[in-house]
Amino acid sequence: MEDLPSGLTSTGDLPSGTVSLLFSDIEGSTRLLARLGAGYTDALEEYRHVLRQAWSQFGGTELGTEGDSFFVVFALAEAAVAAAVQAQRGLAHVAWPAGGEVRVRIGVHTGTPVRHEGGYVGLDVHRAARIASAAHGGQVVVSAATAELASRTLPDGVGLLALGFHRLKDLAVAEHIYQLTITDLPSDFPRLKSLGASSSLPRAASPLIGRDRELSELVALLKSPGIRLVTLTGPGGSGKTRLAVAAADKLGEAFPDGVYFVPLALAKRAEDVWSSLGRVLDVPVKRRALPHLFKDHAHQSILLVLDNVEQLPEADSVVEEVLARAHASAVVVTSRRPLHVEAEYERSVPPLSLPEEDAVATVASAPAVQMFVAHARRVKPSFTVDARNAVDVAEVCRRLDGLPLAMELAASRMKVLSASALLARLGSALNLAAPTANRTGRQRTLRATLAWSYDLLTPARQRSLRQLSVFAGGAELDALADVLECRSDEEVLAVVADLVDASLVQVFDGPGGEPRVTLLEIVRAYALERLAETGEYDAGRRRQADHYLRRARKAQLQMKTDQISRALNWFELEHANLEEVLRWALPTEDGPAGVPSFAETGASLCRALGEFWGRGYWAEARCWLTRAMALVEQTDRPEFAQLLIRAAKVVGMMGDYERANENAEAAVDMCRRLPAADAELVDALTTLAWTEQNRALLDTPPPSYDEAISIARRTGDDRRLYYALGALGSFEYMAGNLHRAWELHNEALAVAIECGDVRGVLVSRHNVACDLRRLGRVEQAEEQLRGLIPETVQLRYAVDVITLAEDYAAVLADLGEPAPVVRLLGAADWARDHFRVPRSRGEVAEIEPTVARVRSALSATEWQDAYDEGRSAGLEATLTNAFDASRDDQVTAGTPASPTKWQHPSTATTCG
């Protein structure tokens, strides 16, 4: 079939428009004739009979037969493909004479040839013939146009195998050719007989998911004039190779002289690269024969994909040599570190995007989840994301950092595990062995890919990575410097730069634009194991603890100043690291025995975290305080008294007033025995009085209040004075002594302003507004409480926001606005459930009249609808909406434009 068949004639009405053109002939027909002699005629007749049955069965119109060749046209691509399959299957069942097997090659192309004199003319006819002539006996190959049209309705047992782009005789544009794989028939054939098989790309085992943007950007970059080297970097298992292959598969027309994949994972020296290139390019490589290697390719437009070069110490010089020898070529490199050569364009391949929320639709649409589902369906075809498993699937993908290899390995377990069971067994994800046998040894497990990257580091950088594993959720440069024992910023930056180049750490902009360094969780888990193996674990944790204790104490002091927002932001940002320190210093009861010196550090951190925990981390605070008091030495000292006071406040906020009272009494007794503990004694007395008033509704204030105020005045401790004054004022308010409450709250406000305590001022202003309401000055109370909403919401202290919502609801009830009242009450109840902060008996008595008044003004349906609306919207949004509605749409600076439900991280916090 080197030339087109002649004498084509029409055998009926020809289809017009888009048609599929099929060419076939017998491979090695001359040799077959020589072997069969007179029997060749019988074999030829049987061959023609089988093929004409196939053409007829699927509506083919035979246009010409010359010797052993056929030219047939079909109206539909699906019919042409089905006929080709039927022809090969029919031939396979013929009992050919010994040594006389007839092997037929078939090619199909779909296009729009011009009808002329009972046949067709045009480039599409030539293209179909050239495609067929590139095939081997027993093989069916089709063009990309045919493959696309027929792919949705392939016959049973038939698949499509991409063979890449190929240059064909007399055709300027390379053709992307596909092979039909037919069950029970051979599917392994030599390279197509084109002018240069332009593709040695590996066959993709699964579709490329979640990389549309990266793929289009990479293809566009490689098509850009003058760009000859792109390095794809990223951690092991991130999908660098898969992305590079997908891009190369789309670049056949841009590189008509060839697209070649060169696997280099096992290469250790430059010579290994030249040998691999020689095998791929089908050029013998002799010692010191580098110029000869590119003799035929020096001026050709080829694309080389050099896969996995990070272990090659000479990778940069090798790639530069390739670019210099193959003048018109371009190179895509996959590596965990950039080459740092002049021509290089580096593109990072990040993990796949994770679901931002746990709603089913959001989870299912996330690229990481789509990848997980695709692999899960390979072992469990019925698997899908639904309301029962969406949260667990999302968490599995988050735990695996969206790394494609990690999710592939995990998804293989879905054959026997549910998503929740997989999550429970996931652990560090490092023991998920790949069940497939067709991986390279380096990729059999995720652990192997991590070990590969780790082993490529210098001993110094290996130690750095191990030390960095103590951080959770990332770290700032100053924390890195302390843990890594660096002497300068330049030294820290050098370490980070090397590990970023190795694709083992990532750098993001933190608050204020300062860099924040993070490790993928699976990298961190691996590095932690290595840290423990080397005996460096406690030393690294010790340095981490010293750093965060020092910073926490600094932030604790800022909490009582106008720097409170900065301090709170730091606590939230470093929350995970602070918990890491506590887990190490205060091990849980089922963990290793505590070390006294470590426990003292943990207890000190608990004291520093006390104010921050007041944001709503009650369960977490109770856990760690309990552990601290169990592990440190219980002697008379201010530090232990502070732990008792913190514990009393925490368990009291959670409604356990009996336990709170016991801790407060113990703290008071201890402080009285200490020679210089006036500050701690004021705290202990105020806390004791508060627990006593909440254990029972008292008629007179506990005497501890007066003693605490007296000591604070005598010692000039204004910060504790305003707190004691405010607490006593609140008792008088609950007792109905409103004028006395008014006096105490105003004095507390004046002291808080003098001290510059931002939160103290807000709480005191809140108390004064409540006094105004009870004194009958409702409009003034509404104005003051409304003005507190933006600042109180911004600080996000749970109890402050909850009580503000309830007290503002009471004011609105007095003003006759029932609907917003019920929404606020619903939102407040949601928050109390969320943070596990029940109302005290005094608070219950305070809110009952408001509830009764509003219930009488609304129907049961109206009440329930408004209440459910508040619970659904959340506290922050409901308060902000109430604020917006009451200010006549005048926007105040700092108020959220689109408030969202307040989702506090305390729900996800665990102790131990």
Side-chain angles (χ1 to χ4, degrees), residues 271-291:
E271 289 78 1
D272 298 332
V273 179
W274 308 132
S275 297
S276 298
L277 279 167
R279 285 192 297 271
V280 170
L281 296 174
D282 200 20
V283 176
V285 179
K286 299 179 180 179
R287 188 174 181 87
R288 293 186 294 276
L290 180 58

Side-chain angles (χ1 to χ4, degrees), residues 101-164:
E101 181 182 3
V102 174
R103 292 176 55 82
V104 176
R105 54 183 179 176
I106 301 176
V108 185
H109 170 61
T110 303
T112 55
V114 177
R115 288 177 54 176
H116 178 68
E117 297 181 356
Y120 295 96
V121 296
L123 191 59
D124 284 318
V125 179
H126 288 264
R127 188 173 296 276
R130 297 310 180 205
I131 289 173
S133 67
H136 297 274
Q139 187 177 29
V140 180
V141 293
V142 301
S143 68
T146 303
E148 181 176 359
L149 291 170
S151 61
R152 292 183 293 273
T153 55
L154 290 172
D156 291 342
V158 177
L160 283 168
L161 174 63
L163 300 180

Side-chain angles (χ1 to χ4, degrees), residues 485-546:
E485 298 180 293
C486 294
R487 291 164 293 184
S488 66
D489 288 346
E490 289 76 14
E491 188 176 349
V492 177
L493 292 172
V495 171
V496 172
D498 286 348
L499 294 177
V500 167
D501 277 354
S503 297
L504 289 169
V505 305
Q506 298 173 307
V507 179
F508 299 96
D509 287 341
E514 285 297 307
R516 188 168 183 84
V517 179
T518 66
L519 279 71
L520 293 175
E521 192 57 34
I522 56 175
V523 175
R524 178 172 177 263
Y526 177 82
L528 268 174
E529 288 185 5
R530 304 305 293 262
L531 183 69
E533 290 171 2
T534 58
E536 303 166 334
Y537 184 82
D538 283 338
R541 287 293 188 197
R542 173 83 269 176
R543 292 192 294 274
Q544 181 191 28
D546 290 344

Side-chain angles (χ1 to χ4, degrees), residues 21 52 73 184 218 288 326 355 499 502 576 584 674 731:
L21 308 168
R52 280 175 172 152
V73 63
D184 298 329
L218 179 56
R288 293 186 294 276
L499 294 177
W584 165 75
L674 294 170
F731 175 88

Side-chain angles (χ1 to χ4, degrees), residues 65 115 134 141 149 168 268 336 373 463 500 560 569 576 623 626 631 668 795 881 884 888:
T65 304
R115 288 177 54 176
V141 293
L149 291 170
L168 304 172
K268 301 297 183 185
R336 299 182 198 183
V373 171
R463 180 181 182 277
V500 167
K560 296 296 184 180
N569 290 338
C623 168
T626 301
L631 292 175
V668 169
L795 290 187
N881 288 337
D884 289 339
D888 298 326

